[in-house]
Amino acid sequence: MAGTMGSSNSGHKTKGNATAVIGMQWGDEGKGKLVDLLSAEHDVVVRYNGGANAGHSVVIAGQRYALHLIPAGILSKGTLAVIGNGVVLDPDTLLKELDTLQSRGVDTSNLVISANAHVVMPYHKDEDAAREDTLKGGAGESPLTEIGTTRRGIGPAYADKVQRAAAVRARDLLRPELLRARIAQACRFKAPILGKQPDVEAMVATATQWGQRLAPMIRETTYLVHDQLRAGKRVMFEGANGTLLDVDHGTFPYVTGSNTGTAGIATGAGVPPTILTSAIGVMKAYSSRVGSGPMPTELSGDTAHRIRERGREYGTTTGRPRRVGWLDVVALRYAAMLNGITSLSVMLLDVLAGFDTIKVCTAYQLADGSTTDRFVADGPELAGAKPVYTDLPGFMDEIGAARSLAALPKPARAYLDFIQEKVGVSIGFVSIGPDREQTIIVGA
Ligand code: IMP
C-alpha cells in the first residue's frame, strides 16, 4: 500500500471555481494554513459561519498571524475577503484584528462585511459567561456540565438571530434610530438573564463608533459573491470550527452555534448547495478538542503530553491547552460523508514522529456491548463509546524537511494510505510543519 498515493491521486487540486475548506474534526485542524496556501489560486475567500471563536493561525516566512474573524485569505495579496451573512460579527475583535494586520503591513482594503451579518454585542458575551458559570461542574444531581465555550458570545448571538425581536445586524450599525431601538429592546430582554440592566447609552455609543469605522466595509454580499462566480472568479469558502462541532450534526450539546460544514455555506453565504466544485476536508493526523464533550480516543499522561507539546496544542483564541487523542477514522468517515469531501488534507503529520506504534480508532464499542463503525452524533451517547483500535507501526525520524511523499519514512506513507483507504477519500495535501514550504502537494 505504501507509496500508492503519489502515482494515481488526482483529487487534490481544486476543481472548478467554488472550493470549500472544511474542518473534519473538532476545529483547529489547520484550516488557516491550507486557506493561505490555496489563496493564491482563488480570487475571493468567504467566511460563512462562526465568529471570533475561531482561531486560524498562519505562518508566513516565520511570522505567525492569528486570525479570528477576518478570512485567512486576506494575507494573500489582492484576494477579496468576505465576511458572509452567516458569521456572527464581533466588531471589537474585528477592529483589533484589522489594526494588527495593518500595523504589520497587510493590505486590508479588500475586506467586505455582509450587511446581514449579526453583531455580537457585549451582553452576548456576558450571557455566554453567565450560562457557562451556572452550568459549571454540574448542578447537584444534574448530568449537565458547561459546554466549555470560548465565551465569545457565539451561542447567544445566534440565539438572538433566531429570536429576531432585538437582534442587531451589521446594517443596523449604520441606522442610528433603529440601532438605539434594537439595543434598548435587547437590554430589556437581557436584564433578567444578566441580573442587571445593561447601560444602553454606553452601548449605543460604542456601536455607533463601530459603525463609523466599519461603514466602508459593510455592504450587500450575496449578489457580490454570485457576480464573482458568474464572472468566472475562483471563490473559496473558508469553514470555521469543525464538523463535529456542528450544531445539528455534531456532539450536541457540546457544539458551537452554527452549521460548520458545507451545508452552512448555502445559508451563510447565500449560494445554492450545488455550487461547490470541490470540498477539501482538513484533518489533523491525530485528534484534538477544546472545551467539554466526548472524544473517544482521548489520551492522558506522557503520550498526550508529547502530542500536545509537539503540536503546540494550545488554543489560538483562548490559550486553553487542548485535549488530544489518536486519530478517529469513524468520525472522519462521517465528516467526509456529511460534507461531500472530495480531497483530504492531512495536517501536523510531523507531530507523530517518535512513537513506536500509532493507534487509529476504526470502530466504537457502545455501552450495550455492540460494535459500530458509524459515528454517534450525540454528546451523552458518544461518551459511552469506547474506541476499537488498529495498531500501525510508527516512524522515528523527524519529517519536517521532506518535500515529497517518497521522502517520508515508509511507516508514515503506510499511515497515510491507511487513512485514505479507511476514510474513502484520496489525500491531496500533507502538512509536515507550520511553514508554507512544509507542505507536500500529492501528485504535484
Ligand atoms: P462556542 O463556539 O464559543 O460557543 O463554543 C462551543 C464549543 O466549540 C466549545 O467546546 C469550544 O471550545 C468549541 N469551539 C468553538 N470554536 C472552536 C474552534 O475554532 N476550534 C476549536 N474549538 C472550538
Side-chain angles (χ1 to χ4, degrees):
M1 284 299 300
T4 56
M5 295 192 323
S7 50
S8 60
N9 187 297
S10 61
H12 65 279
K13 297 233 164 58
T14 56
K15 296 195 194 101
N17 67 341
T19 310
V21 174
I22 303 292
M24 296 178 78
Q25 296 156 313
W26 283 282
D28 309 315
E29 296 92 350
K31 297 181 287 294
K33 171 169 173 174
L34 198 75
V35 169
D36 173 58
L37 211 73
L38 295 176
S39 288
E41 53 185 81
H42 288 85
D43 306 294
V44 186
V45 180
V46 185
R47 272 276 308 262
Y48 59 89
N49 78 299
N53 53 352
H56 292 172
S57 51
V58 182
V59 179
I60 302 172
Q63 286 223 53
R64 182 172 286 270
Y65 296 85
L67 297 168
H68 301 288
L69 261 169
I70 300 180
I74 194 98
L75 298 170
S76 183
K77 217 170 163 42
T79 305
L80 177 63
V82 179
I83 295 181
N85 61 279
V87 170
V88 283
L89 182 82
D90 177 346
D92 240 355
T93 306
L94 180 75
L95 290 168
K96 279 191 197 123
E97 226 161 84
L98 276 173
D99 290 342
T100 306
L101 287 177
Q102 283 160 7
S103 72
R104 293 173 74 177
V106 177
D107 177 12
T108 58
S109 61
N110 277 341
L111 178 67
V112 174
I113 300 165
S114 167
N116 288 348
H118 281 248
V119 177
V120 177
M121 299 295 293
Y123 48 76
H124 288 134
K125 293 180 199 171
D126 293 345
E127 185 180 344
D128 200 354
R131 286 186 192 276
E132 286 289 278
D133 286 342
T134 306
L135 288 168
K136 208 167 185 117
E141 295 296 297
S142 169
L144 299 179
T145 58
E146 76 268 34
I147 294 165
T149 72
T150 57
R151 298 183 174 225
R152 297 292 165 106
I154 305 298
Y158 277 118
D160 277 353
K161 170 178 175 170
V162 179
Q163 288 270 23
R164 292 151 293 162
V168 178
R169 299 202 289 177
R171 60 172 74 247
D172 299 324
L173 298 175
L174 313 178
R175 304 193 278 200
E177 256 180 61
L178 209 50
L179 180 66
R180 177 179 297 277
R182 287 195 180 280
I183 291 178
Q185 185 70 286
C187 288
R188 268 199 293 279
F189 290 138
K190 299 297 174 190
I193 298 169
L194 299 177
K196 63 173 188 208
Q197 176 64 39
D199 185 341
V200 176
E201 287 314 314
M203 223 170 287
V204 171
T206 304
T208 305
Q209 277 172 11
W210 290 338
Q212 281 158 2
R213 273 201 71 189
L214 297 178
M217 296 164 233
I218 297 174
R219 52 187 284 201
E220 196 289 321
T221 57
T222 302
Y223 278 104
L224 173 75
V225 172
H226 280 266
D227 287 345
Q228 296 284 325
L229 286 164
R230 265 198 296 268
K233 303 283 185 197
R234 292 153 304 173
V235 180
M236 178 172 19
F237 298 94
E238 176 182 340
N241 327 123
T243 300
L244 308 177
L245 291 172
D246 184 282
V247 67
D248 282 284
H249 302 290
T251 53
F252 194 91
Y254 306 104
V255 293
T256 188
S258 65
N259 288 119
T260 53
T262 47
I265 296 172
T267 51
V271 294
T274 47
I275 204 92
L276 289 183
T277 46
S278 54
I280 299 178
V282 188
M283 52 170 282
K284 276 178 180 160
Y286 49 92
S287 303
S288 76
R289 179 162 201 168
V290 201
S292 319
M295 175 166 71
T297 61
E298 183 161 11
L299 289 164
S300 58
D302 289 348
T303 312
H305 181 74
R306 183 176 166 86
I307 292 177
R308 187 175 300 114
E309 293 310 310
R310 285 179 59 87
R312 297 171 41 135
E313 294 294 351
Y314 294 89
T316 317
T317 302
T318 58
R320 290 182 286 181
R322 296 183 188 134
R323 300 155 59 194
V324 295
W326 295 118
L327 195 66
D328 181 344
V329 294
V330 178
L332 289 169
R333 221 172 13 242
Y334 172 72
M337 174 185 80
L338 265 182
N339 293 304
I341 295 298
T342 56
S343 166
L344 298 175
S345 186
V346 180
M347 315 304 282
L348 293 128
L349 182 63
D350 52 302
V351 171
L352 293 184
F355 288 107
D356 288 334
T357 302
I358 299 174
K359 287 177 175 290
V360 183
C361 169
T362 48
Y364 300 145
Q365 190 182 42
L366 303 178
D368 65 3
S370 65
T371 303
T372 182
D373 63 0
R374 296 188 166 202
F375 190 67
V376 181
D378 175 68
E381 207 174 318
L382 186 62
K386 291 195 173 53
V388 178
Y389 285 119
T390 298
D391 287 0
L392 297 175
F395 49 98
M396 289 300 145
D397 296 336
E398 294 297 344
I399 58 171
R403 293 294 175 266
S404 68
L405 285 178
L408 290 175
K410 218 169 157 191
R413 293 204 305 268
Y415 186 58
L416 295 173
D417 281 337
F418 187 83
I419 292 171
Q420 61 180 1
E421 186 198 318
K422 289 292 175 195
V423 180
V425 182
S426 56
I427 295 174
F429 297 88
V430 180
S431 176
I432 36 125
D435 279 317
R436 262 184 193 171
E437 298 71 42
Q438 292 177 297
T439 314
I440 298 170
I441 302 177
V442 179

